[in-house]
């Protein structure tokens, strides 16, 4: 007598423990059990394009503050912030690593940062220790000091502007 899994089946032999689907005829082959769920592996990040800046290793522990569109933040002091993203309006004194002002964003006050990326409006005192990038929609006015500067065609810069050596070079 052959078993139900190998060779021919006996029509009279149906294991008692095999469940049948509702409405299935006696002796019909039971439906196979569903396969267990196995999640697909996470996709690998795309390699960086040649000549592009390397992506940060991890933002998991980074202190990031985003001031959203239509939000107004006034009269504050922002410190120990790795990245400040401004989509609304901020009036403050700040010391940060990176400030990103979006096209509709506006910053008024004093800022000391490593890198400033301005697509909107900055008005006040800005010290960009490493780099100041003003994009075509950006406008920077006031007392400006920078390590390196990049201004896209259409970007505006006015006021008291000076090139200051980055902190690392100043310690020679």
């Amino acid at each position: 007598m052959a078993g139900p899994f190998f060779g021919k089946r006996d029509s009279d032999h149906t294991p008692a423990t095999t469940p049948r689907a509702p409405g299935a005829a006696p002796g019909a082959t039971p439906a196979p059990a569903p396969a267990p769920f196995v999640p697909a592996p996470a996709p690998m990040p795309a390699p960086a394009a040649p000549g592009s800046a390397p992506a940060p290793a991890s933002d998991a522990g980074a202190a990031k503050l985003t001031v959203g569109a239509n939000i107004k933040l006034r009269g504050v002091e922002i410190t120990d912030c790795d990245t400040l993203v401004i989509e609304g309006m901020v009036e403050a004194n700040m010391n940060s690593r990176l400030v990103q002002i979006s096209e509709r964003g506006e910053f008024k006050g004093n800022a000391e940062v490593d890198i400033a990326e301005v697509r909107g409006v900055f008005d006040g005192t800005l010290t960009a220790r490493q780099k100041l990038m003003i994009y075509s929609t950006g406008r920077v006015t006031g007392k400006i000091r920078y390590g390196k500067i990049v201004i896209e065609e259409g970007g505006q810069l006015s006021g008291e502007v000076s090139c200051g050596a980055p902190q690392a070079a100043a310690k020679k």
Side-chain angles (χ1 to χ4, degrees), residues 28 40 49 63 67-68 73 80 88 96 100 106 117 122 128 138 146 154 158-159:
V67 178
L73 185 62
D80 300 326
S96 176
Q100 297 173 323
E106 186 176 341
E117 298 177 1
F122 180 96
Y146 60 88
S158 63

Side-chain angles (χ1 to χ4, degrees), residues 44-170:
M44 294 294 293
S52 67
S58 173
D59 286 339
K64 182 176 182 178
L65 174 63
T66 300
V67 178
N70 302 321
I71 301 293
K72 294 178 179 146
L73 185 62
R74 292 188 177 146
V76 296
E77 185 171 333
I78 302 168
T79 59
D80 300 326
C81 181
D82 290 325
T83 303
L84 174 63
V85 179
I86 302 171
E87 298 169 355
M89 198 274 249
V90 174
E91 286 185 25
N93 293 320
M94 70 168 293
N95 190 340
S96 176
R97 189 184 69 75
L98 169 65
V99 64
Q100 297 173 323
I101 303 174
S102 73
E103 288 182 15
R104 294 186 180 188
E106 186 176 341
F107 183 95
K108 291 183 181 182
N110 302 316
E112 290 188 27
V113 297
D114 290 337
I115 300 170
E117 298 177 1
V118 183
R119 290 176 173 84
V121 177
F122 180 96
D123 184 15
T125 302
L126 172 63
T127 301
R129 293 179 287 264
Q130 292 176 10
K131 186 190 259 185
L132 169 59
M133 295 185 299
I134 303 172
Y135 292 86
S136 61
T137 56
R139 189 174 78 230
V140 177
T141 59
K143 184 175 180 180
I144 314 303
R145 185 172 177 167
Y146 60 88
K148 294 180 182 178
I149 190 166
V150 176
I151 304 175
E152 276 188 352
E153 184 177 342
Q156 299 175 20
L157 175 65
S158 63
E160 183 183 326
V161 181
S162 63
C163 179
Q167 275 188 332

